[in-house]
Amino acid sequence: MKIATQRSNSSAKTMSTQSSKTSKPPSRYSVGMFSAGEARCDRWQELAHAAQTLVAQASSGSSTKETLAAVETLLAPLSVIETFRAYPGEVMMSGLKDALSRSDYSTFSRITNRIAKAIITGSYRRSVNAWKLGEEGETEGNDRLLKDYFDTGDLTKPYFEVLIVSDDPTTEQVRQGRGELRQLRRPEDPFVYEAVTVPSFEEGVIGVVMNADVQAVVIKDNFRFKSQFDAPLLRTYLEQHLSLEPGSLEPKDYGVALARAIGKIRPELDIYLIVDGAAEKVASHLESKNIRRIFYGLEDLMEIHLALLEGVNQRYDTPYFNNLKNYARRPVGTFHALPVARGKSIFNSHWIRDFGHFYGANIFLAESSATTGGLDSLLEPTGNIRLAQEKAARAFGCRELFFGTNGTSTSNKIAVQALVRPGDIVLVDRNCHKSHHYGLVLSGGQPLYVEAYPLTEYSMYGAVPLRTIKKALLDLKAEGKLDRVRMLLLTNCTFDGHVYNVQRFMEEVLAIKPDIVFLWDEAWYAYSRFSQFHRMRSAMGACEALRERYASAAYRAEYAEFKKKHGKLDPKGAKLLDTHLLPDPDAVKLRVYATTSTHKSLSCFRQGSYIMVNDDCWESTQGPFKEAFFTHTSTSPNLQLIASLDVARRQAELEGYELVGRAIELSLILRREVNKHPLISKYFTIATNAQMVPAEHRASGFEDFHADGVSWKTIYDAWASDEFVLDPTRVTLLCGSAGFDGTSFKGMLATKFDIQLNKTSRNSILLQTNINNTRSDVAYLIKVLADISRELDRTLSKDPGEKAAFDARVKSLITDVPDLPNFSRFHDAFRSNPRSKTNEGDMRTPFFLAYDEDNCTHVKLNSKEIDDLVRRGQAVSANFVIPYPPGFPIMVPGQVITAETIEFMRKLDVKEIHGYHAATGLKVLKPQKLGASRRKTASHSRSRVTQKKRTRKG
Ligand SMILES: Cc1ncc(COP(=O)(O)O)c(C=O)c1O
């Protein structure tokens, strides 16, 4: 988040290069909009270069005027930025400015260089040299203060910063306070920290936004609201999104209000309140969950020190990983299965020792098939796995969290089986991952496929509009089937980066069906908790917000108004689709589940997955959930995987904010460089928000991160309101204009340039910036694209024949794209009531019918036979047919195959189609078998009805 600020009383103009004044400004994006750290590094680097130039100019007698002006321009915003950081701190900053004012450019350059290097490499976290103002060996300024800073000799202790919010302390008081905290350091402390003090509410907020090193905030009583900097964007943000206006709060409430505001931005931070009045009284009516402790004055400085360390230690602690490390250290004799445990079968082998050397000893020493000895059991956790899961639940903002060790593919099946009973209706995006479709086959749930909007020109789907979902639910209500509706299952965000307005979707759906279960497949979204933007559009973030909303008096009043206006919802009322529906707060049951592939975006081994639960009915669901977990989880789960799920949580809580911010920032740099590059953009472009989200789903009108006039606030407002937004970290690079189809371009990048990616479409590839990416990765990719573009330019300008062929290829890739076929319908044989208006169907019966080859036949794709069957409505798929790409099932068992589907398949130029072999043809159910199964389906649904009647009577 970048919040434009101005020092109102100094020459420092802005903290960013964006100005908030111009009426029609150009794109206000600059590095740092999402990650202040990146902008800070860039600026220090530039300042170090300018300082060197200054030294050279001064020593050669050239004019330094222009360089000095540049130095001033760079230094002014840095002086502001650095007030929120403990490093380099006031002493070094004064030393730097002092040298500049004395025209001692070589000292200025030396200090600048030292700071720049320390910030870029992070060496200030571990090396005392980074903090030294003078030359090696000198002891002046900071050096004296640092006397015992790293004296323990232990430079490997993790470092963090503590933000202290305290009313206008003098520089001397700040220095003294810092010194007092340093005095408390002990060799046995697990971490080392430095304090940074700010004087106001607003600077408290800016501090946690700008300084990713902050892990804890100490709020002292009595401070002012307004910052010394003019921060227009921050002020609007506080007013609009946190309902905080300077006049609306009394100074005595600032502390708690600040804790809450910080909790909305970085919920993982520990907050401590120091009050001058009656601490016990304040403690008894604290309104903020994230305040860990409350202290009376500064009388307990050592207690505060210990609390700060303990708070961070709670997040640092990884109970399962710690225990596994301990286990690996112990001499253990194993008489169980798993010979690789302890590595003896490997390191004593004559033939497979290289296997051991490649992986190292620890992976074998940390292996066991036992669940004793403190290793706990994933299937029935009572010890450190349970603790690790509880910590993860807290970190990811849910009530329960379960570790999955077979990918989200399995987590999805667990969730579906746990929640869906045979015959239940599940509204599901047909474009969702195949694990859900298979989950529905296993559970016997009846899918009612809802369609995502197509992005035909890129051969991909977007997300499912709210109207479509409401319409399906209202139709079900009109048909009297609402009691059979169990679940809404959607992918958030999609592989290609479409992110739902989760809160709004859940709210309106709950207004129609107040006890529906939401399963959000967030396989691609494990990091969402650690970005304020993404969190508000995540399952757990939205659930938390709705829980708070429905408990408030304000919502009750809003609902009463709504009810007065709309009365009882008439499912046939046409206006309902255009009305923001509100649920009855007394009837609502919030039942929200999310599955995430931890391994896809956090530091976790492959297949690590979290199942997150926030369910008002958990009491009655945990039994079936356990059964489903037992059904799908191996009795030999991989210990390293469990450990990495534990460690991924630690990193996310302590570094997630910084790393996710950087991943977003990198994607924006990549977007800007490609789309604004005169040569690259001739052939390659990155799809913008507007290209991925049609205008009717973008009420804010937000088009692109780099469009004119866009600021942090524009983006935030769009994310707060639009039906869908594009996650910038999902970078769809359109390569059709360069004459490449997605698959061959992906192959070329991998083989020629060692660039790997995982998804393609007919004319695009999908790149993803992640927490592991660096500026160098982005620079390399841009260089490769520039090289390819240059080469294309050269070839095409030389040879007109080549140019004509190229144009034809481009046209075929970007114009002649096949229409994406919608889901047709289930064959009447697999519908409880073929006359029903709603389109749910039984997929399980045809799936198992196909187990008997006698029930099926194979028909060639390019045959008259299939056309005839299609024309008669007798072509019914016996299985799933899933082409990669695009990766969604174009046929499911029991689905009537239409001419559109056949046409799409005939045009499809991909080789990998699961469920279809060109040599044998499409597997369809024999028409004569459909009548029999119709009778079976009817009797099945009759028996469900009878059963229901019996249950009701009972
Ligand atoms: C939306 C979605 N859900 C689930 C999965 C499966 O996740 P995993 O690879 O962790 O099994 C994927 C895999 O790509 C996916 O795209």
Side-chain angles (χ1 to χ4, degrees), residues 28-56:
R28 294 199 283 179
Y29 168 76
S30 62
V31 176
M33 187 123 77
F34 287 84
S35 161
E38 291 298 305
R40 183 184 182 220
C41 286
D42 282 6
R43 275 174 195 282
W44 276 107
Q45 187 87 306
E46 283 176 52
L47 189 64
H49 286 150
Q52 273 165 0
T53 311
L54 213 49
V55 173

Side-chain angles (χ1 to χ4, degrees), residues 528-548:
S528 58
R529 174 92 181 156
F530 302 94
S531 145
Q532 198 191 349
F533 283 78
H534 295 73
R535 185 170 55 249
M536 66 177 157
R537 284 183 172 251
S538 70
M540 293 304 139
C543 181
E544 216 171 320
L546 288 182
R547 214 178 272 292
E548 209 175 295

Side-chain angles (χ1 to χ4, degrees), residues 92-378:
M92 286 187 99
M93 287 305 284
S94 304
L96 185 81
K97 287 179 194 163
D98 186 46
L100 187 64
S101 68
R102 284 185 282 110
S103 304
D104 178 356
Y105 301 140
S106 80
T107 303
F108 174 70
S109 173
R110 181 172 49 74
I111 303 175
T112 307
N113 218 11
R114 181 171 296 166
I115 297 175
K117 263 200 199 134
I119 288 175
I120 291 161
T121 62
S123 66
Y124 66 94
R125 296 167 157 273
R126 46 188 184 273
S127 158
V128 73
N129 277 337
W131 294 77
K132 283 186 173 164
L133 184 60
E135 300 273 18
E136 295 290 309
E138 280 179 39
T139 49
E140 54 162 293
N142 242 18
D143 309 23
R144 230 172 303 118
L145 275 177
L146 288 166
K147 218 165 96 41
D148 53 2
Y149 182 41
F150 293 108
D151 268 7
T152 56
D154 182 1
L155 303 188
T156 56
K157 284 182 183 177
Y159 165 94
F160 64 91
E161 295 186 2
V162 175
L163 185 73
I164 298 176
V165 186
S166 171
D167 190 29
D168 271 341
T170 61
T171 312
E172 195 38 49
Q173 282 167 331
V174 169
R175 228 182 255 185
Q176 198 184 333
R178 244 173 139 171
E180 281 169 7
L181 285 171
R182 281 177 183 158
Q183 296 289 325
L184 299 172
R185 286 184 187 144
R186 303 160 313 151
E188 60 269 38
D189 287 346
F191 316 110
V192 62
Y193 67 86
E194 275 289 306
V196 56
T197 304
V198 293
S200 68
F201 187 110
E202 288 182 344
E203 277 150 307
V205 174
I206 303 175
V208 300
V209 170
M210 304 281 286
N211 184 350
D213 286 345
V214 167
Q215 295 293 351
V217 185
V218 176
I219 303 174
K220 290 189 188 171
D221 235 356
N222 298 326
F223 50 91
R224 59 193 154 84
F225 193 91
K226 279 206 165 183
S227 116
Q228 61 182 304
F229 309 114
D230 187 18
L233 286 187
L234 170 70
R235 213 148 285 147
T236 335
Y237 162 78
L238 290 174
E239 282 166 20
Q240 288 181 350
H241 299 288
L242 300 178
S243 311
L244 281 176
E245 289 168 51
S248 69
L249 275 178
E250 284 196 45
K252 70 172 174 47
D253 299 325
Y254 285 175
V256 172
L258 178 57
R260 298 191 79 212
I262 291 173
K264 296 250 185 251
I265 298 165
R266 292 177 63 186
E268 67 279 9
L269 296 187
D270 299 321
I271 309 222
Y272 302 90
L273 214 54
I274 298 183
V275 294
D276 289 334
E280 325 73 42
K281 281 234 168 62
V282 180
S284 65
H285 60 266
L286 272 189
E287 227 195 293
S288 184
K289 282 185 291 191
N290 58 344
I291 296 180
R292 268 179 72 84
R293 278 193 67 178
I294 178 158
F295 293 99
Y296 178 64
L298 281 177
E299 60 176 16
D300 299 325
L301 204 54
M302 189 58 170
E303 285 297 309
I304 295 174
H305 172 71
L306 294 177
L308 287 168
L309 294 176
E310 181 47 25
V312 174
N313 200 37
Q314 291 267 325
R315 281 176 273 155
Y316 185 82
D317 182 34
T318 38
Y320 187 78
F321 177 52
N322 297 354
N323 212 56
L324 197 60
K325 283 192 291 183
N326 287 339
Y327 173 81
R329 276 187 217 118
R330 283 170 32 209
V332 181
T334 59
F335 290 94
H336 56 61
L338 198 71
V340 300
R342 320 301 296 175
K344 284 185 247 174
S345 75
I346 293 150
F347 292 106
N348 293 339
S349 158
H350 300 298
W351 295 97
I352 61 167
R353 247 176 283 170
D354 61 324
F355 178 47
H357 291 141
F358 181 73
Y359 285 108
N362 275 341
I363 200 163
F364 303 104
L365 291 172
E367 267 300 349
S368 173
S369 70
T371 53
T372 49
L375 287 176
D376 209 359
S377 157
L378 182 65

Side-chain angles (χ1 to χ4, degrees), residues 406-410 412 433 435-436 491 495 521 523-524 597 599-600 607:
N406 197 5
T408 298
S409 304
T410 297
N412 284 341
H433 190 254
S435 49
H436 298 292
T491 308
F495 208 158
D521 181 335
W524 294 99
S597 291
H599 68 99
K600 289 197 204 296
Q607 295 194 1

Side-chain angles (χ1 to χ4, degrees), residues 672-730:
R672 181 189 59 186
E673 290 308 308
V674 169
N675 287 354
K676 301 220 183 270
H677 194 289
L679 176 62
I680 300 179
S681 62
K682 255 171 90 174
Y683 299 104
F684 300 99
T685 47
I686 293 175
T688 60
N689 189 69
Q691 282 170 295
M692 297 298 270
V693 181
E696 65 264 34
H697 307 295
R698 271 185 292 117
S700 73
F702 173 61
E703 293 193 344
D704 185 18
F705 301 96
H706 300 105
D708 286 354
V710 167
S711 69
W712 183 91
K713 183 177 176 302
T714 329
I715 303 173
Y716 192 89
D717 290 346
W719 276 61
S721 65
D722 282 357
E723 186 173 4
F724 306 113
V725 293
L726 172 68
D727 178 351
T729 68
R730 280 344 119 77

